[in-house]
Amino acid sequence: MLHTTSQLKPIEVVNDFVVKFATINGSGSASANELFAKSILRMGVPVGTRNIFPSNIQGLPTWFEVRVSEKGWLGRRGGVDLMVALNPQSWDADMKEIDPGGYLLFDNSKELPASSFPAGITAIGVPLTNICNAAYSDARQRQLFKNIVYVGALSFLLDMDAAVIEKVIAEQYMKKERLLASNVEAFRLGRDYAEQNLKPIGLRVRTSDTVGDRILIDGNHAAALGFVYGGAMVCAWYPITPSTSVAEAFQTYCSKLRIDPETGKKRVAIVHAEDELASIGMVVGAGWNGARAFTATSGPGISLMSEFIGLAYFAEIPATIVNVQRGGPSTGMPSRTQQSDILACAYASHGDTKHVLLFPEDPHECFDDAAAALDLAERLQTPIFVMSDLDIGMNQHLSAPFEWDDNRLYDRGKVMTKEMLDAGTVFSRYLDVDGDGIPFRTYPGTHPTLGGYFARGTSRNANAQYSEAGEDYVYNVQRLLKKFETAKTLVPQPVIREAARPAHAGVIYYGSTSPAMAETIEILEAKGLYLDRLRLRAFPFSDSVREFIDKHDRVFVVEQNRDGQIRTLLINELDINPSKLVSVLHYDGAPITARAITDGIASQMTACLQRKAG
Amino acid sequence: MTYLAKPKFHHPSLPKNEVGFTRRDYEGKVSTLCAGCGHDSISAAVIQACWEMNIEPHKVAKLSGIGCSSKTPDYFLGNSHGFNTVHGRMPSVLTGANAANKDLLYFGFSGDGDSASIGLGQFAHAMRRGVNMVYMLENNGVYGLTKGQFSATADKGSRSKRGAVNADTPVDTVSLALLMGATFVARSFSGDKRQLVPLIKAAMAHKGAAFIDIISPCVTFNNHVGSTKSYDYMREHNEVANCLDFVPSRDEITVDYEEGESAKVTLHDGSVLELSKNRGEHAFRDKTAAMNYIQEHQVKGVIVTGLLYIQPEATDLHEHLNTVDVPLNRLTEKELCPGAAVLKEINASLR
């Protein structure tokens, strides 16, 4: 059943290719695709997976991309070596994505006209529908097991170890014996058909040992776990894609890890609020009252929270907000990834405001940043944003294992206690006593006669008394600026890597662009183009960011938004000459690819080199 | 008078309550509201209730939204922490604060613009969740700080100071609170301290969402002929549903009702609420009867005041969430962090 539509040489590679599954949302393909990816991982070969899904429960097209890379390039590469095309709706578009010499796996239960197939690829038909119709009588089973059957066929085509896959199936259905047997049976149906009718193709998975101790997890679960470890006591949230699973995972982890063993009661309060205004309101209330609290949301939620974010900034209340960024507004693009809320968060709310942003690059940093954000929020008494995105948040990424030091203490910030008040320490809620712009606060209920104050936005003096006096306002907002300077020294510092050879150009990037950037650098160096790189981990920008820009003639700024928002922030905050910062942008909703960055940078660097040579 | 600082001098013989505080200890800054404002009477009632209930001032957290009513928490309980939050959003901040520390007594102060217009949603949802609080809505039917616009509680047909007639149906906050699950619902009048003080005390003893709508005339913008929230109108149209007295658990009941004329409700802390039986024995525990009672009088243009509904055995947010007994904000690394060994296991399960 193998037929080649042209004489072009089929791709032949080991442990370095892209498989894309084009399926129908709600058809049960997701778990089969994950099984496929996890099995490759178990063979010791790193994989990066991307789920590209619609705003829909059933019926619309959905895709799952698996990047297999022994070298460990786990960002999206761009292009597809093997397309598993099971959705007639997206067929034409899917065909266009297959690289020359690539492969197509399709259901040939019904014959397709030759014109359906693009030239220059190898098309492999497996009669998935016929196999399942013969094996199962139940309509639902016929549909569901098709997915496992194609994994079986793939496992043979890619020369994978069947025992490894069967072991992963066994783990998945450890407590459901009936499901285990039927899934193994379906896997065998596909594998047997391929063995009897097909030959392995040019893409091979060979057992390796390059995965190491890395773990496979999505960023939302990682952030949730970071909040458990970081000591979040209150979580208030409202469902919104793609952030929903942060709060849901937090709930799940807390139901195991935050139970008082004696009473069975919970060491956490999780409130599903009526909207984002209420969820941030609850976080602010909890923060004011001395609890470490967070909310998780996405773009529209940030818009709704803006008023409260301003209040928390001026009243100096700790609050942690995870923003899992997405396209938007409305519905549809919100199930696709972007980094397009940078400016909206950096300057959220009315009045002169600036906020601390953290940019995790993967689930490992989602964990670290979640825990760090709770500390920073209390240390700086201000809202802290963890700027994740859909790619990091909802896709499983191979990441360094989580770490925790049992000696680590939570930073609860400057809190004046009853003992301090009794000892005669003077409490002025909004006075800069240490020169770092950060005042002391008291928790409600601390002392019968001392330390009480009435919290409000801006209309107050350093002693928290009502004041509309201009000088009181100016003192206060200038102190907030000083506090923002202090924040520079507390946030995670940028990661700078120098090129293999001295470079005149640099590149700045952040967040989920990271894995594709690592691959880009290697591709560019192979072309003789050298770039120093700086990965931002936080805003406000540390002094080393300015130094990095000053050191280079030209700095590319790679982002997943239309307007070059970090570039704008760099120009605005560091007073950089705009002509020095060149945007490389990708914002179609799919995660950025190494090819897109490479093309964007290479074309401009080459043009520049040519101009210089000319 | 508002520019004058309040003297700190205390009369040496001012009586102290059981926790050692005089009434002055429950006062706050000098009010900046208009002279004669109903809200100031409510502040005085809160001061009296807290002093009589022997509440330690720092065990109270007072929260408010934005508006004249929301300025009032600065004018009482000066040693308590307060939070003047965002317009219409006090309920969510109070909910979060309550989640953080269940041991404090939470007062929410709001107005009719704050709770019936911009914050109607948060008002309703805080009641649904059974947040343990005393929610006082200082209801004057008008926007004071922005100078005289109708609020959503203004009655249909009532006139503004400028002569405009309100065409919109009013939001009846007590009916709404009842529907949304508040477990203590009352209405009172700022001019009737004899009724208001025991109501506040009872609401403080109640565990769960307690709501008191307090008609509080705005002397500047809504105290004219044609207003249905003026002092005169209230005095003419107020029907007192019940007189009540609040008896703390440790005191002997001394209220003097005729045999059969009073009904008693024991609250969760053992204190007793004694009510005159204008409405029959159990009417105030029956949600449907309470609703009917309110609606029937509303149709007649009569404003009923008093305790309208109570569910003495109510549960609160923390019981619904099954949180530990110790306030969450007191938990430490020891209780909160599962530790490195558990993390190792989690890592292993993700390979």
Side-chain angles (χ1 to χ4, degrees):
Chain A
M1 290 297 290
L2 190 100
H3 65 101
T4 308
T5 53
S6 93
Q7 296 308 308
L8 197 83
K9 194 177 171 329
I11 300 169
E12 294 214 6
V13 282
V14 177
N15 290 354
D16 181 21
F17 54 87
V18 175
V19 184
K20 188 166 184 174
F21 298 87
T23 56
I24 298 169
N25 207 29
S27 65
S29 58
S31 53
N33 298 340
E34 279 167 22
L35 164 69
F36 172 74
K38 198 155 192 181
S39 300
I40 296 176
L41 205 60
R42 286 295 174 80
M43 290 177 68
V45 183
V47 288
T49 63
R50 298 290 184 299
N51 190 5
I52 299 161
F53 63 95
S55 172
N56 164 260
I57 301 299
Q58 217 169 56
L60 286 182
T62 183
W63 296 269
F64 189 78
E65 216 176 89
V66 181
R67 175 76 196 276
V68 180
S69 169
E70 175 139 13
K71 277 188 171 172
W73 304 133
L74 299 176
R76 277 182 80 221
R77 182 197 67 185
V80 174
D81 299 301
L82 167 57
M83 178 71 75
V84 180
L86 299 174
N87 187 355
Q89 293 174 80
S90 60
W91 179 277
D92 291 345
D94 295 337
M95 291 308 115
K96 287 184 189 136
E97 280 195 63
I98 305 174
D99 274 6
Y103 301 85
L104 162 70
L105 181 78
F106 70 105
D107 184 350
N108 66 347
S109 299
K110 258 170 96 176
E111 203 177 325
L112 291 173
S115 62
S116 306
F117 303 97
I121 63 154
T122 304
I124 306 139
V126 177
L128 298 169
T129 306
N130 290 349
I131 292 172
C132 287
N133 284 358
Y136 306 101
S137 53
D138 176 68
R140 183 72 186 145
Q141 282 187 331
R142 282 175 170 177
Q143 172 53 46
L144 273 180
F145 285 123
K146 242 190 244 180
N147 304 305
I148 304 293
V149 172
Y150 72 63
V151 173
L154 275 179
S155 74
F156 174 75
L157 291 169
L158 301 176
D159 200 18
M160 292 167 66
D161 186 350
V164 171
I165 304 170
E166 286 180 4
K167 191 165 170 252
V168 177
I169 298 176
E171 285 171 20
Q172 211 164 339
Y173 298 103
M174 205 153 42
K175 283 169 191 156
K176 300 167 189 165
E177 224 160 276
R178 212 164 50 88
L179 282 175
L180 168 61
S182 53
N183 273 280
V184 171
E185 186 196 328
F187 171 74
R188 279 277 156 209
L189 280 174
R191 177 111 183 166
D192 291 349
Y193 176 88
E195 268 177 14
Q196 286 154 23
N197 299 281
L198 305 167
K199 284 187 298 188
I201 60 173
L203 313 177
R204 304 286 176 103
V205 185
R206 283 266 181 284
T207 303
S208 177
D209 60 353
T210 43
V211 173
D213 65 349
R214 281 181 284 182
I215 56 172
L216 189 66
I217 189 171
D218 68 63
N220 286 356
H221 277 77
L225 196 58
F227 285 125
V228 174
Y229 272 76
M233 304 155 185
V234 174
C235 162
W237 68 291
Y238 186 76
I240 179 169
T241 305
S243 72
T244 304
S245 53
V246 175
E248 287 185 336
F250 183 69
Q251 194 138 22
T252 307
Y253 284 127
C254 285
S255 67
K256 294 182 193 118
L257 303 172
R258 284 288 188 81
I259 302 295
D260 182 315
E262 279 170 29
T263 60
K265 292 183 176 183
K266 291 180 184 151
R267 291 167 170 163
V268 69
I270 303 172
V271 184
H272 174 166
E274 60 269 31
D275 55 27
E276 286 90 346
L277 288 84
S279 46
I280 187 68
M282 290 174 197
V283 167
V284 167
W288 170 74
N289 212 0
R292 287 156 89 87
F294 79 95
T295 186
T297 191
S298 298
I302 296 292
S303 300
L304 290 171
M305 291 177 183
S306 286
E307 187 184 16
F308 258 123
I309 290 166
L311 178 78
Y313 175 79
F314 285 113
E316 298 180 68
I317 313 285
T320 296
I321 302 157
V322 185
N323 179 4
V324 187
Q325 298 170 89
R326 48 172 241 187
S330 187
T331 191
M333 277 309 279
S335 67
R336 309 300 159 92
T337 196
Q338 275 185 356
Q339 298 176 319
S340 50
D341 296 337
I342 306 297
L343 290 172
C345 290
Y347 300 129
S349 202
H350 52 283
D352 285 321
T353 56
K354 291 187 198 198
H355 306 292
V356 176
L357 316 179
L358 308 182
F359 306 115
E361 65 164 347
D362 66 359
H364 181 85
E365 283 190 2
C366 283
F367 176 91
D368 285 350
D369 285 358
L374 295 170
D375 277 351
L376 286 168
E378 293 204 310
R379 169 56 51 187
L380 293 163
Q381 300 175 28
T382 199
I384 308 287
F385 293 80
V386 179
M387 303 293 284
S388 180
D389 65 22
L390 184 144
D391 180 21
I392 303 174
M394 291 191 72
N395 289 312
Q396 295 198 321
H397 296 259
L398 201 56
S399 311
F402 303 130
E403 290 158 30
W404 191 264
D405 176 359
D406 281 334
N407 295 318
R408 173 171 169 176
L409 295 176
Y410 299 147
D411 182 359
R412 304 301 314 264
K414 296 187 192 178
V415 179
M416 205 166 279
T417 60
K418 182 169 185 294
E419 292 68 33
M420 291 162 82
L421 291 164
D422 279 334
T425 317
V426 177
F427 174 65
S428 291
R429 173 65 182 100
Y430 296 111
L431 191 71
D432 182 8
V433 283
D434 298 323
D436 57 4
I438 307 171
F440 271 85
R441 63 179 181 137
T442 51
Y443 296 158
T446 297
H447 194 284
T449 52
L450 301 168
Y453 71 98
F454 196 52
R456 41 166 84 83
T458 46
S459 309
R460 46 129 206 261
N461 61 20
N463 291 318
Q465 287 154 335
Y466 189 81
S467 167
E468 296 178 16
E471 61 266 33
D472 286 333
Y473 175 84
V474 170
Y475 168 80
N476 196 43
V477 294
Q478 283 298 321
R479 183 179 50 73
L480 289 175
L481 266 190
K482 195 194 277 180
K483 189 165 84 168
F484 206 61
E485 281 295 308
T486 303
K488 277 186 187 175
T489 63
L490 300 176
V491 297
Q493 297 300 301
V495 180
I496 299 172
R497 286 205 183 90
E498 287 187 355
R501 290 188 196 169
H504 298 291
V507 59
I508 290 179
Y509 61 101
Y510 56 99
S512 63
T513 301
S514 198
M517 179 57 70
E519 186 173 3
T520 298
I521 292 290
E522 194 190 66
I523 299 170
L524 288 174
E525 288 191 353
K527 291 177 195 256
L529 301 172
Y530 292 90
L531 284 169
D532 293 331
R533 55 186 147 148
L534 181 147
R535 178 166 70 85
L536 294 168
R537 291 200 61 195
F539 174 71
F541 304 123
S542 316
D543 295 341
S544 56
V545 178
R546 166 186 285 289
E547 287 159 19
F548 180 86
I549 296 171
D550 286 348
K551 239 173 67 184
H552 295 94
D553 300 337
R554 205 150 57 126
V555 175
F556 296 98
V557 185
V558 184
E559 307 189 53
Q560 301 184 51
N561 59 60
R562 185 194 66 182
D563 293 338
Q565 297 189 17
I566 277 282
R567 178 177 175 271
T568 302
L569 205 55
L570 287 164
I571 293 167
N572 199 38
E573 294 292 324
L574 301 181
D575 215 13
I576 305 289
N577 177 357
S579 66
K580 203 169 173 180
L581 300 180
V582 182
S583 271
V584 175
L585 306 172
H586 172 97
Y587 48 90
D588 66 3
I592 196 166
T593 64
R595 285 182 185 174
I597 309 174
T598 308
D599 291 351
I601 293 179
S603 60
Q604 301 195 56
M605 281 185 92
T606 316
C608 180
L609 287 174
Q610 280 165 350
R611 271 201 303 279
K612 273 187 184 163
Chain B
M1 293 282 282
T2 56
Y3 53 87
L4 291 179
K6 206 175 245 187
K8 289 198 168 158
F9 176 73
H10 281 206
H11 194 281
S13 64
L14 273 181
K16 288 185 174 174
N17 62 8
E18 287 175 16
V19 284
F21 293 97
T22 72
R23 235 158 123 129
R24 294 292 308 273
D25 295 323
Y26 294 85
E27 292 177 357
K29 301 261 172 1
V30 175
S31 168
T32 61
L33 300 172
C34 309
C37 179
H39 296 357
D40 286 333
S41 311
I42 298 169
S43 297
V46 171
I47 290 167
Q48 188 181 335
C50 288
W51 184 75
E52 289 178 6
M53 287 285 279
N54 300 306
I55 301 293
E56 292 177 280
H58 69 299
K59 294 290 170 67
V60 178
K62 39 180 192 169
L63 296 100
S64 60
I66 295 290
C68 291
S69 60
S70 295
K71 283 175 170 275
T72 62
D74 208 13
Y75 313 144
F76 51 83
L77 295 169
N79 285 324
S80 307
H81 275 70
F83 196 172
N84 195 178
T85 67
V86 180
H87 197 20
R89 319 292 176 209
M90 171 277 287
S92 64
V93 181
L94 192 153
T95 303
N98 186 299
N101 182 357
K102 56 166 74 165
D103 276 1
L104 301 181
L105 175 63
Y106 291 91
F107 283 150
F109 289 89
S110 181
D112 35 315
D114 208 53
S115 280
S117 288
I118 188 167
L120 191 67
Q122 295 217 340
F123 166 72
H125 287 279
M127 298 304 160
R128 280 183 58 231
R129 290 192 183 95
V131 180
N132 189 13
M133 63 180 170
V134 183
Y135 192 124
M136 286 176 253
L137 195 162
E138 308 188 345
N139 186 354
N140 57 17
V142 76
Y143 285 76
L145 271 185
T146 54
K147 304 193 173 177
Q149 301 81 11
F150 283 121
S151 85
T153 63
D155 286 310
K156 204 167 184 166
S158 63
R159 274 179 192 281
S160 77
K161 197 176 178 184
R162 291 177 196 150
V165 177
N166 178 38
D168 298 339
T169 304
V171 173
D172 181 36
T173 56
V174 287
S175 299
L176 189 60
L178 261 177
L179 271 177
M180 289 299 129
T183 46
F184 179 107
V185 178
R187 174 176 275 149
S188 191
F189 172 39
S190 64
D192 186 358
K193 209 168 164 185
R194 202 183 144 260
Q195 182 192 52
L196 181 56
V197 172
L199 270 178
I200 295 172
K201 287 160 74 175
M204 283 159 74
H206 177 73
K207 188 179 185 189
F211 175 66
I212 312 176
D213 179 271
I214 308 163
I215 308 291
S216 174
C218 173
V219 287
T220 306
F221 295 111
N222 208 9
N223 199 30
H224 47 269
V225 176
S227 159
T228 59
K229 298 264 191 302
S230 66
Y231 279 110
D232 287 346
Y233 189 91
M234 254 325 269
R235 285 185 183 120
E236 283 161 23
H237 295 81
N238 181 2
E239 176 166 317
V240 178
N242 42 41
C243 301
L244 74 168
D245 205 343
F246 177 79
V247 188
S249 51
R250 50 200 171 276
D251 292 2
E252 195 188 335
I253 297 170
T254 54
V255 191
D256 194 21
Y257 286 110
E258 292 289 320
E259 179 86 12
E261 280 188 355
S262 73
K264 288 172 194 164
V265 182
T266 307
L267 301 180
H268 83 286
D269 64 351
S271 52
V272 174
L273 200 54
E274 185 153 7
L275 299 112
S276 66
K277 281 200 316 190
N278 309 21
R279 284 174 51 211
E281 178 90 27
H282 296 297
F284 44 84
R285 291 198 217 189
D286 179 341
K287 203 166 175 173
T288 316
M291 192 62 92
N292 286 337
Y293 183 76
I294 297 163
Q295 299 297 328
E296 281 161 11
H297 284 78
Q298 202 160 283
V299 171
K300 287 188 262 178
V302 174
I303 300 148
V304 288
T305 58
L307 180 66
L308 302 170
Y309 174 69
I310 184 169
Q311 187 189 329
E313 65 286 357
T315 52
D316 83 324
L317 176 75
H318 280 280
E319 283 165 88
H320 305 160
L321 295 176
N322 193 27
T323 56
V324 287
D325 297 335
V326 57
L328 294 173
N329 70 352
R330 270 187 234 151
L331 299 178
T332 66
E333 291 86 355
K334 192 169 151 277
E335 296 90 20
L336 295 167
C337 186
V342 172
L343 198 56
K344 259 194 185 150
E345 287 170 28
I346 294 172
N347 281 329
S349 73
L350 297 169
R351 289 187 181 119

